[in-house]
Every structure is written in structure tokens, then in C-alpha cells.
Amino acid sequence: MLDFSSLLLAAALSGACLSGTMFAIWFTAPRARFVLTMACGILVLVAHVVLFWLYARDPSPLLCQAVLALLNIGFLVVCLSAMQYLDVRDYRRAVLPGLVVLAASAGATILGFDGIGFIVSYTLVTALLAAIGALFWVNGGGHDRRILLVVSALSGVCGLSFGLCGAVLLLKGQWVLGAAPDNWAERLNSVVSVACMTGLGALTLSLHHLQAQIELKAETMTDPLTGLMNRRALTSFYGERAFGPFMSIAMFDLDHFKRTNDVFGHPVGDQVLCRFAAVIKKYTRTGVDAFRLGGEEFAIVMSRMTPERAYDIACKIGVAFGAEVVATKLGPLRSTVSGGIGFGRPDGAVLDEMLAEADVALYAAKRAGRNCVMSSKTGKADPVGPALRSA
């Protein structure tokens, strides 16, 4: 026969170690708030287990209320941690139903129906664990699916074990206990809870590591000034891509940008760069990706689009940017941009070829007087539409 007290102490020790590890991780990475929340939730559950152990040895109504309150609060905080990790909006709304159930459990216990208090609490815990499993299953599309499946499974199994505890009390009609419940479901729950909470804690650490990797990768592929993807991202996403006839790359270079920096100062130059980035972002969507290549050079990659449509988008970007006005101490500043487009081929062009072709067209636009968009095909620079001139 399993030693119930030993199982409870093992659960408390396991939870304390996990909580301590998570607090240490959070201190080194304060941005990982879900780790802190999970650590607090597990710490509350550790306190619940310790008090439950004391309650099993020396029952008292006050201790019973504390046991049930900590059980409900602990799993509620764990659920909030899952919602934080998955960026679920308005996650605090889950607090109110939890507090209502907590009050119902406390009220039943105060009136002497501690069995009902346990049933209500077990029902809440089952619902919270089921919610965690469902959240990871439904909202985890952008995360590692294998980890999410395990999280969902562990949450479901743990929730089922608490559901069995409540079901046994309900079926036996044990509305008044006067002591800690002790039956086969409780013993099974002790084993399952230790295993599942240990697993969930370990997976939380794995999810933190995964999120840190994703954030680091995003930082290395993002231009810090404009928020656009950088040249590294362009190479990562399209370096091995074959550019067919319905793909194109448009390169842009801000006209007289060095003079803008010299006359108005670099802070104003940064504003101009951000304004152009904001214009490009308005045209990014599925099939259109924007990048800052460095300095005043930008690029957009357009997929599943005819050459005429790609050229039209490039022209609209030029017109929209020409309408932008930056306020400076020397008066309002309008800037223009030149663009060059390279088009894919039926046999598939590589990224370097596309950039070289777009670059040739870009310099042709510069020689043509700037503030226009041109294209280059097979090394020859030809205008593909009317030049865009500032008023």
C-alpha cells in the first residue's frame, strides 16, 4: 500500500525545487513573466500540500479552509501563467470565476459541509487544468507543437485525477468529512499530481528556453531603428529560394540622404528612415515582405504577383513617401526615393541575381534624375512606367 504521507511530502519537495529553479531563471530573465507566475503558482501549491499533510494529521475547520483556498489559488495562478505565455488577451478575467468558486467552497466549509467544499474545489481544479490543456492545444500554433501536445496531455491527465477525487466524494455522498479525504482516488491523485506537475514544471523551463531562442532570433533579424527585417533575415528567408516569373524584388534608396543628415542632422535622418519604413509597412501583407538592407537602402520581396502589379506597388510606395513631411528646426522636410525592380525567371533566379538586377535598375533610376522606379531585365535598365517626380 502506498504511504499517503510520503507521497504528499514528495509532492511538496518536488514542487519546492521546481519553484526555486523558476525563480532563479526569472531573476536572470525578468521579461519572462510567465515563468515568475508559474513559480508563484507552484509555490502556493507547495504550501497547500504541506497544510494538507498537517490537516490529515490534525483536522480543523480553519486548516481545511486554508487547504482548499491554497489549492484553488495555486491552480488559478498556474492557469494565468499558461495564458501569459500564449499571449491570451484579458487573461485576468479568469480570476473572477475562480474567486467565485473559492468563495463557494469556503462558504460550504464554514457551514460544516467540508465534503462539498472539497468537491467544489476539485471541480474548479479540473476545469482550470482542462482550460490549460485546451489553451495550449488551440492557441499554440506559433510554438513547438510537440511540447504543446505533451503540456495538453499532462494537464488533461492531472485534471482527470482531480475530477476522480471529486467524483468519489460525490458518489459516496460524503458531504461532511471532518477529516482529510482518504480513498483510492486521493492516493492515485497524489502520484499523478507529482508526476504531472513535475513534468509541467520541466516543460515550462523548456518553453522559456524556446521562447528565448525565438526572441533572440527575432532580434538578430530585425533592424532596431525601423523595426523592419534586416539583410540577415532576407538571406535566411530567401537565400535558398528560386525566384520564378511571379516573384520580384524592389530595392529603394532614399535620395540625397547624406545631404539630409549633413543639413538637418542625424536625428532627423533617423526620422526620415522611420517614415519610409512606415510607408513600406502599409504595403506588407501575405506575399510582400519588407527589409532594411542597411543605411538608406531598403527592399521588398513580392511573391505570387505579376510584374505589372509589382511595379505598381513600388510606384505607390514612392508616391506615398513623397507626400510625407518631417518637421525640422529649418522648416518642413520632404524627401524622395528611387527604386529598381528585378524580376524572377521561368528557370528560377537566385537571390544574389535578383539583388544585382534590382541594383542595376536602382542606379539607372538615380541616373534618370531620381524619384522614379525602373526595372532591369537581363542586365539592361529600362523604365517600365512613367517616372515619379516631386512637385
PDB file of all heavy atoms in Angstrom, residues 351-366:
ATOM      1  N   LEU A 351      18.776  34.577 -55.179  1.00  0.00           N
ATOM      2  CA  LEU A 351      18.666  35.864 -54.501  1.00  0.00           C
ATOM      3  C   LEU A 351      19.729  36.849 -54.971  1.00  0.00           C
ATOM      4  O   LEU A 351      19.425  38.019 -55.236  1.00  0.00           O
ATOM      5  CB  LEU A 351      18.765  35.659 -52.982  1.00  0.00           C
ATOM      6  CG  LEU A 351      18.730  36.933 -52.134  1.00  0.00           C
ATOM      7  CD1 LEU A 351      17.424  37.678 -52.327  1.00  0.00           C
ATOM      8  CD2 LEU A 351      18.942  36.592 -50.655  1.00  0.00           C
ATOM      9  N   ASP A 352      20.982  36.412 -55.065  1.00  0.00           N
ATOM     10  CA  ASP A 352      22.052  37.329 -55.479  1.00  0.00           C
ATOM     11  C   ASP A 352      21.788  37.899 -56.864  1.00  0.00           C
ATOM     12  O   ASP A 352      22.059  39.088 -57.124  1.00  0.00           O
ATOM     13  CB  ASP A 352      23.404  36.607 -55.448  1.00  0.00           C
ATOM     14  CG  ASP A 352      23.890  36.337 -54.031  1.00  0.00           C
ATOM     15  OD1 ASP A 352      23.368  36.991 -53.105  1.00  0.00           O
ATOM     16  OD2 ASP A 352      24.782  35.482 -53.847  1.00  0.00           O
ATOM     17  N   GLU A 353      21.268  37.078 -57.761  1.00  0.00           N
ATOM     18  CA  GLU A 353      20.955  37.559 -59.105  1.00  0.00           C
ATOM     19  C   GLU A 353      19.826  38.590 -59.067  1.00  0.00           C
ATOM     20  O   GLU A 353      19.868  39.607 -59.770  1.00  0.00           O
ATOM     21  CB  GLU A 353      20.556  36.389 -59.995  1.00  0.00           C
ATOM     22  CG  GLU A 353      21.690  35.415 -60.288  1.00  0.00           C
ATOM     23  CD  GLU A 353      21.232  34.180 -61.039  1.00  0.00           C
ATOM     24  OE1 GLU A 353      20.047  33.809 -60.897  1.00  0.00           O
ATOM     25  OE2 GLU A 353      22.047  33.599 -61.762  1.00  0.00           O
ATOM     26  N   MET A 354      18.845  38.330 -58.232  1.00  0.00           N
ATOM     27  CA  MET A 354      17.736  39.259 -58.119  1.00  0.00           C
ATOM     28  C   MET A 354      18.183  40.607 -57.552  1.00  0.00           C
ATOM     29  O   MET A 354      17.795  41.673 -58.055  1.00  0.00           O
ATOM     30  CB  MET A 354      16.653  38.656 -57.218  1.00  0.00           C
ATOM     31  CG  MET A 354      15.997  37.402 -57.775  1.00  0.00           C
ATOM     32  SD  MET A 354      14.955  37.752 -59.196  1.00  0.00           S
ATOM     33  CE  MET A 354      13.609  38.647 -58.427  1.00  0.00           C
ATOM     34  N   LEU A 355      19.021  40.562 -56.520  1.00  0.00           N
ATOM     35  CA  LEU A 355      19.518  41.801 -55.923  1.00  0.00           C
ATOM     36  C   LEU A 355      20.390  42.567 -56.898  1.00  0.00           C
ATOM     37  O   LEU A 355      20.313  43.802 -56.980  1.00  0.00           O
ATOM     38  CB  LEU A 355      20.290  41.483 -54.643  1.00  0.00           C
ATOM     39  CG  LEU A 355      19.467  40.977 -53.449  1.00  0.00           C
ATOM     40  CD1 LEU A 355      20.380  40.563 -52.303  1.00  0.00           C
ATOM     41  CD2 LEU A 355      18.486  42.045 -52.978  1.00  0.00           C
ATOM     42  N   ALA A 356      21.217  41.848 -57.643  1.00  0.00           N
ATOM     43  CA  ALA A 356      22.087  42.512 -58.624  1.00  0.00           C
ATOM     44  C   ALA A 356      21.253  43.178 -59.707  1.00  0.00           C
ATOM     45  O   ALA A 356      21.531  44.313 -60.129  1.00  0.00           O
ATOM     46  CB  ALA A 356      23.050  41.499 -59.234  1.00  0.00           C
ATOM     47  N   GLU A 357      20.212  42.505 -60.161  1.00  0.00           N
ATOM     48  CA  GLU A 357      19.351  43.065 -61.199  1.00  0.00           C
ATOM     49  C   GLU A 357      18.596  44.286 -60.689  1.00  0.00           C
ATOM     50  O   GLU A 357      18.498  45.307 -61.381  1.00  0.00           O
ATOM     51  CB  GLU A 357      18.368  41.993 -61.669  1.00  0.00           C
ATOM     52  CG  GLU A 357      17.529  42.410 -62.862  1.00  0.00           C
ATOM     53  CD  GLU A 357      16.667  41.268 -63.380  1.00  0.00           C
ATOM     54  OE1 GLU A 357      17.146  40.117 -63.345  1.00  0.00           O
ATOM     55  OE2 GLU A 357      15.529  41.539 -63.797  1.00  0.00           O
ATOM     56  N   ALA A 358      18.077  44.183 -59.482  1.00  0.00           N
ATOM     57  CA  ALA A 358      17.376  45.323 -58.897  1.00  0.00           C
ATOM     58  C   ALA A 358      18.331  46.482 -58.658  1.00  0.00           C
ATOM     59  O   ALA A 358      17.956  47.651 -58.816  1.00  0.00           O
ATOM     60  CB  ALA A 358      16.710  44.897 -57.586  1.00  0.00           C
ATOM     61  N   ASP A 359      19.566  46.186 -58.290  1.00  0.00           N
ATOM     62  CA  ASP A 359      20.559  47.226 -58.038  1.00  0.00           C
ATOM     63  C   ASP A 359      20.890  47.978 -59.323  1.00  0.00           C
ATOM     64  O   ASP A 359      21.050  49.212 -59.315  1.00  0.00           O
ATOM     65  CB  ASP A 359      21.816  46.591 -57.440  1.00  0.00           C
ATOM     66  CG  ASP A 359      22.749  47.623 -56.836  1.00  0.00           C
ATOM     67  OD1 ASP A 359      22.273  48.446 -56.033  1.00  0.00           O
ATOM     68  OD2 ASP A 359      23.956  47.611 -57.172  1.00  0.00           O
ATOM     69  N   VAL A 360      21.018  47.252 -60.441  1.00  0.00           N
ATOM     70  CA  VAL A 360      21.265  47.892 -61.724  1.00  0.00           C
ATOM     71  C   VAL A 360      20.125  48.847 -62.063  1.00  0.00           C
ATOM     72  O   VAL A 360      20.334  49.991 -62.503  1.00  0.00           O
ATOM     73  CB  VAL A 360      21.426  46.820 -62.836  1.00  0.00           C
ATOM     74  CG1 VAL A 360      21.415  47.469 -64.212  1.00  0.00           C
ATOM     75  CG2 VAL A 360      22.716  46.040 -62.637  1.00  0.00           C
ATOM     76  N   ALA A 361      18.890  48.387 -61.851  1.00  0.00           N
ATOM     77  CA  ALA A 361      17.729  49.236 -62.134  1.00  0.00           C
ATOM     78  C   ALA A 361      17.697  50.442 -61.216  1.00  0.00           C
ATOM     79  O   ALA A 361      17.329  51.551 -61.622  1.00  0.00           O
ATOM     80  CB  ALA A 361      16.457  48.416 -61.981  1.00  0.00           C
ATOM     81  N   LEU A 362      18.088  50.245 -59.953  1.00  0.00           N
ATOM     82  CA  LEU A 362      18.102  51.349 -58.994  1.00  0.00           C
ATOM     83  C   LEU A 362      19.058  52.452 -59.439  1.00  0.00           C
ATOM     84  O   LEU A 362      18.716  53.637 -59.414  1.00  0.00           O
ATOM     85  CB  LEU A 362      18.494  50.816 -57.606  1.00  0.00           C
ATOM     86  CG  LEU A 362      18.708  51.857 -56.509  1.00  0.00           C
ATOM     87  CD1 LEU A 362      17.452  52.680 -56.278  1.00  0.00           C
ATOM     88  CD2 LEU A 362      19.149  51.174 -55.214  1.00  0.00           C
ATOM     89  N   TYR A 363      20.263  52.065 -59.845  1.00  0.00           N
ATOM     90  CA  TYR A 363      21.223  53.076 -60.277  1.00  0.00           C
ATOM     91  C   TYR A 363      20.807  53.721 -61.586  1.00  0.00           C
ATOM     92  O   TYR A 363      21.126  54.881 -61.857  1.00  0.00           O
ATOM     93  CB  TYR A 363      22.619  52.474 -60.363  1.00  0.00           C
ATOM     94  CG  TYR A 363      23.279  52.431 -59.002  1.00  0.00           C
ATOM     95  CD1 TYR A 363      23.222  51.291 -58.203  1.00  0.00           C
ATOM     96  CD2 TYR A 363      23.911  53.561 -58.487  1.00  0.00           C
ATOM     97  CE1 TYR A 363      23.791  51.257 -56.936  1.00  0.00           C
ATOM     98  CE2 TYR A 363      24.485  53.537 -57.225  1.00  0.00           C
ATOM     99  CZ  TYR A 363      24.419  52.393 -56.454  1.00  0.00           C
ATOM    100  OH  TYR A 363      24.971  52.379 -55.213  1.00  0.00           O
ATOM    101  N   ALA A 364      20.058  52.986 -62.418  1.00  0.00           N
ATOM    102  CA  ALA A 364      19.506  53.593 -63.621  1.00  0.00           C
ATOM    103  C   ALA A 364      18.494  54.672 -63.240  1.00  0.00           C
ATOM    104  O   ALA A 364      18.416  55.734 -63.882  1.00  0.00           O
ATOM    105  CB  ALA A 364      18.845  52.527 -64.485  1.00  0.00           C
ATOM    106  N   ALA A 365      17.694  54.400 -62.192  1.00  0.00           N
ATOM    107  CA  ALA A 365      16.741  55.395 -61.712  1.00  0.00           C
ATOM    108  C   ALA A 365      17.464  56.618 -61.169  1.00  0.00           C
ATOM    109  O   ALA A 365      17.022  57.756 -61.351  1.00  0.00           O
ATOM    110  CB  ALA A 365      15.847  54.778 -60.637  1.00  0.00           C
ATOM    111  N   LYS A 366      18.590  56.415 -60.502  1.00  0.00           N
ATOM    112  CA  LYS A 366      19.388  57.532 -59.996  1.00  0.00           C
ATOM    113  C   LYS A 366      19.890  58.383 -61.150  1.00  0.00           C
ATOM    114  O   LYS A 366      19.839  59.619 -61.128  1.00  0.00           O
ATOM    115  CB  LYS A 366      20.561  57.004 -59.172  1.00  0.00           C
ATOM    116  CG  LYS A 366      20.188  56.319 -57.867  1.00  0.00           C
ATOM    117  CD  LYS A 366      19.820  57.318 -56.791  1.00  0.00           C
ATOM    118  CE  LYS A 366      19.648  56.640 -55.446  1.00  0.00           C
ATOM    119  NZ  LYS A 366      19.278  57.615 -54.390  1.00  0.00           N
TER     120      LYS A 366
END
